[in-house]
Amino acid sequence: MREMKTARDVLEYLKEEEIKIIDLRFMDFPGLWQHFSVPSRELDEDAFDKGFGFDGSSIRGWQSINESDMLVKPVPDTAFVDPFLKEKTLVLICNICDPITGEDYTRDPRNIALKAASYLMHTRIADTAYFGPEAEFFIFDDIRFDQNEHEGYYYLDSVEGRWNTGRKEEPNLGYKPRYKEGYFPVPPTDSLQDLRSEMMLLLEEVGVPVEAQHHEVATGGQAEIDMRFAPLVHMADNLLKYKYVVKNTARRHNKTVTFMPKPIFNDNGSGMHIHLSLWKNGQNLFAGEGYAGLSDTALYAVGGILGHAPSLLAFTNPTTNSYKRLVPGYEAPVNLAYSRRNRSAAIRIPMYFTSTKTKRLEFRCPDPSCNPYLGFSAILMAAIDGILNKIDPGEPLDKDLYDLPPEELARVPQTPGSLHEALKALETDHDYLLKGDVFTQDVIETWIDYKLNNEVMALNLRPHPWEFALYFDI
């Protein structure tokens, strides 16, 4: 579909394509896409300025019941035709505003991302922050779970799962990736090639450029589709489209997708390595003559990200399950160090290409459970803080960090061991996020309170199935 930049462009497209329905989408506080729909006749030029009303008290982490009225304001250049719905529907991503003051809502994640991009320009460090996330996910054939007063369990299955080599499938053809060996044999072992290709082509259709798709390391249907990099807000929008397309394409084939970081015990979890570079006047500010071809600006950004990593992870790794992936001794990068090529470091400097245009940092800790508007913004704010304060990242570590002697490894800082630890770090280290009023104190406090009460404490109150194996007979 053609590019649309203005309200008039959208309205002309509605008539030309005989669009029947407008779907208005926005992000809730924890990180799920929400929506409601209106007939296309309800969309006129005034609607882009005045917005549509809805009940904000029903959205997680937002307004109280006595201040519930909110507005969604459609953003013209986010428009795309939904490829899954029966009736022809145009999707518009929206910003959230207060109906009385008309101001952008401070707890709207997209508003926070817009402020982060604006703050970068205000510092005059750069005019654009490019992000390139590599979001991994699992494609399952069945999932069941429950937790109540007398039982707690989950059951998942995949026709690719190595655990099914002995299952009677009439016939069982035997091509099931070994644990940790899914990266990446050709079909028939890779049974999901056509499905991932369909996902890739639909992403292109809705305006998300894709660079590659492939099977990932874990058995049981782990996959990755890599999007082409884009500016912060645009990439966060694209990641929401990515999740939407991937999940709904799988559903078409009676399969299900999860972006949960660690759904399978004893095999690789799903990360979301995030590539970052800062540009000004068309020049890549991260390219230079220093270590691994980095500039001083890039190294200071590394210092900021590593220095603030414990609190940063409260946004980039925001679930209790995130820390089932970030466990010392495995492949996930828990050591807060940087290195060229070395994938066991929290920050890697990719060395595939030598062009100055491709020079970037790869932050390997994040996972795809994060709210991209908040996660990307927090990473940018940490990098900016590093640059403004010239934070020294220390010496790089080019050794295999998992083979370091214990006394040397003890000197390398590590990521928090739980969401609770990350939230504690955020409680004490968040001034860098408040700069430019990007994250407000209210946003920080609400995030910590929501996560503690709805996730950390909720999990702590429930017996774990493995505890019965450990303790039932004591």
Side-chain angles (χ1 to χ4, degrees):
M1 69 182 274
R2 73 163 187 253
E3 185 179 9
M4 286 176 274
K5 294 183 178 180
T6 67
R8 182 158 295 182
D9 291 338
V10 173
L11 296 173
E12 288 175 358
Y13 186 81
L14 292 183
K15 290 180 181 178
E16 291 171 10
E17 299 297 321
E18 299 181 344
I19 301 291
K20 296 181 178 180
I21 296 170
I22 306 297
D23 200 49
L24 303 166
R25 299 192 185 174
F26 58 94
M27 188 64 129
D28 73 5
F29 200 53
L32 285 179
W33 230 5
Q34 310 289 333
H35 79 132
F36 65 92
S37 300
V38 298
S40 59
R41 68 171 181 273
E42 294 295 318
L43 190 70
D44 55 26
E45 285 198 58
D46 285 346
F48 286 88
D49 294 322
K50 295 179 180 178
F52 295 87
F54 74 102
D55 179 6
S57 69
S58 299
I59 305 301
R60 299 179 300 168
W62 278 11
Q63 295 290 77
S64 59
I65 194 69
N66 62 313
E67 298 175 319
S68 60
D69 291 346
M70 302 293 289
L71 293 175
V72 294
K73 289 187 178 181
V75 180
D77 64 8
T78 65
F80 68 95
V81 174
D82 192 305
F84 300 103
L85 301 179
K86 180 181 177 181
E87 301 296 344
K88 200 163 189 180
T89 301
L90 189 75
V91 176
L92 286 163
I93 299 174
C94 301
N95 296 326
I96 309 300
C97 301
D98 185 287
I100 298 174
T101 65
E103 295 178 352
D104 294 327
Y105 184 42
T106 56
R107 293 188 197 173
D108 173 17
R110 195 172 193 273
N111 177 39
I112 291 170
L114 288 165
K115 288 192 292 183
S118 177
Y119 177 66
L120 174 66
M121 296 185 69
H122 176 75
T123 64
R124 299 186 179 179
I125 292 171
D127 50 45
T128 309
Y130 284 114
F131 282 79
E134 300 174 351
E136 299 168 348
F137 55 93
F138 279 88
I139 304 169
F140 293 138
D141 292 282
D142 192 33
I143 176 70
R144 293 184 282 116
F145 52 89
D146 198 6
Q147 178 90 53
N148 53 50
E149 287 74 12
H150 72 100
E151 62 183 356
Y153 66 88
Y154 68 89
Y155 172 86
L156 56 82
D157 203 10
S158 164
V159 71
E160 277 198 358
R162 188 66 178 179
W163 56 84
N164 282 325
T165 54
R167 184 172 68 174
K168 189 175 181 180
E169 295 181 348
E170 298 180 342
N172 186 327
L173 301 178
Y175 291 104
K176 303 180 191 298
R178 297 177 184 88
Y179 295 106
K180 302 181 185 296
E181 293 187 25
Y183 192 86
F184 28 54
V186 298
T189 302
D190 177 6
S191 69
L192 299 168
Q193 168 70 14
D194 286 339
L195 180 56
R196 292 194 310 272
S197 291
E198 185 178 336
M199 292 170 175
M200 178 174 69
L201 294 175
L202 282 170
L203 282 167
E204 294 265 344
E205 186 180 311
V206 301
V208 180
V210 173
E211 293 184 337
Q213 61 92 346
H214 57 82
H215 205 288
E216 257 299 338
V217 175
T219 192
Q222 193 181 33
E224 181 179 315
I225 301 174
D226 295 330
M227 297 175 282
R228 183 170 176 77
F229 65 89
L232 189 158
V233 179
H234 187 59
M235 179 50 78
D237 289 342
N238 279 355
L239 186 54
L240 299 187
K241 294 180 186 178
Y242 177 97
K243 287 188 173 185
Y244 182 75
V245 166
V246 164
K247 289 178 180 179
N248 282 283
T249 307
R251 188 179 181 185
R252 273 183 176 177
H253 295 268
N254 206 30
K255 294 180 184 289
T256 187
V257 159
T258 182
F259 288 90
M260 186 175 172
K262 187 69 173 177
I264 296 180
F265 168 64
N266 238 9
D267 208 339
N268 284 41
S270 292
M272 186 172 69
H273 308 149
I274 296 177
H275 296 253
L276 169 68
S277 60
L278 299 184
W279 291 62
K280 188 173 186 178
N281 298 326
Q283 299 297 314
N284 185 356
L285 302 182
F286 280 6
E289 303 298 323
Y291 172 79
L294 294 179
S295 65
D296 287 344
T297 298
L299 288 168
Y300 292 142
V302 170
I305 293 171
L306 293 179
H308 292 298
S311 63
L312 187 56
L313 263 62
F315 289 108
T316 62
N317 302 70
T319 68
T320 57
N321 186 252
S322 297
Y323 299 87
K324 301 292 194 297
R325 168 181 168 261
L326 292 178
V327 177
Y330 294 87
E331 286 190 29
V334 298
N335 297 295
L336 297 177
Y338 71 103
S339 173
R340 60 187 169 197
R341 304 178 67 180
N342 191 340
R343 294 172 187 268
S344 61
I347 292 181
R348 184 176 76 97
I349 297 88
M351 302 299 289
Y352 295 124
F353 308 106
T354 57
S355 168
T356 58
K357 291 184 177 180
T358 62
K359 190 56 60 179
R360 60 197 185 273
L361 311 178
E362 180 189 9
F363 186 31
R364 296 176 62 81
C365 296
D367 67 56
S369 69
C370 83
N371 182 327
Y373 297 116
L374 301 182
F376 296 170
S377 297
I379 293 169
L380 178 59
M381 295 302 287
I384 290 173
D385 191 63
I387 295 166
L388 290 177
N389 293 294
K390 298 186 176 181
I391 297 176
D392 184 355
E395 293 298 314
L397 283 175
D398 289 329
K399 305 173 185 178
D400 184 342
L401 298 181
Y402 298 124
D403 285 340
L404 288 179
E407 62 277 7
E408 192 173 348
L409 185 61
R411 294 194 293 270
V412 180
Q414 292 194 334
T415 57
S418 68
L419 177 58
H420 196 183
E421 287 182 28
L423 292 169
K424 283 184 176 179
L426 179 61
E427 198 168 24
T428 58
D429 176 31
H430 59 255
D431 285 350
Y432 69 100
L433 297 170
L434 303 178
K435 300 291 177 62
D437 200 37
V438 174
F439 288 78
T440 64
Q441 189 67 39
D442 170 69
V443 164
I444 300 295
E445 291 173 358
T446 303
W447 184 261
I448 292 171
D449 182 71
Y450 181 90
K451 288 287 174 178
L452 280 176
N453 288 302
N454 293 280
E455 299 179 30
V456 173
M457 294 305 297
L459 187 68
N460 288 346
L461 287 170
R462 288 161 170 79
H464 189 284
W466 191 243
E467 290 178 313
F468 286 84
L470 293 172
Y471 308 126
F472 183 77
D473 59 350
I474 59 175

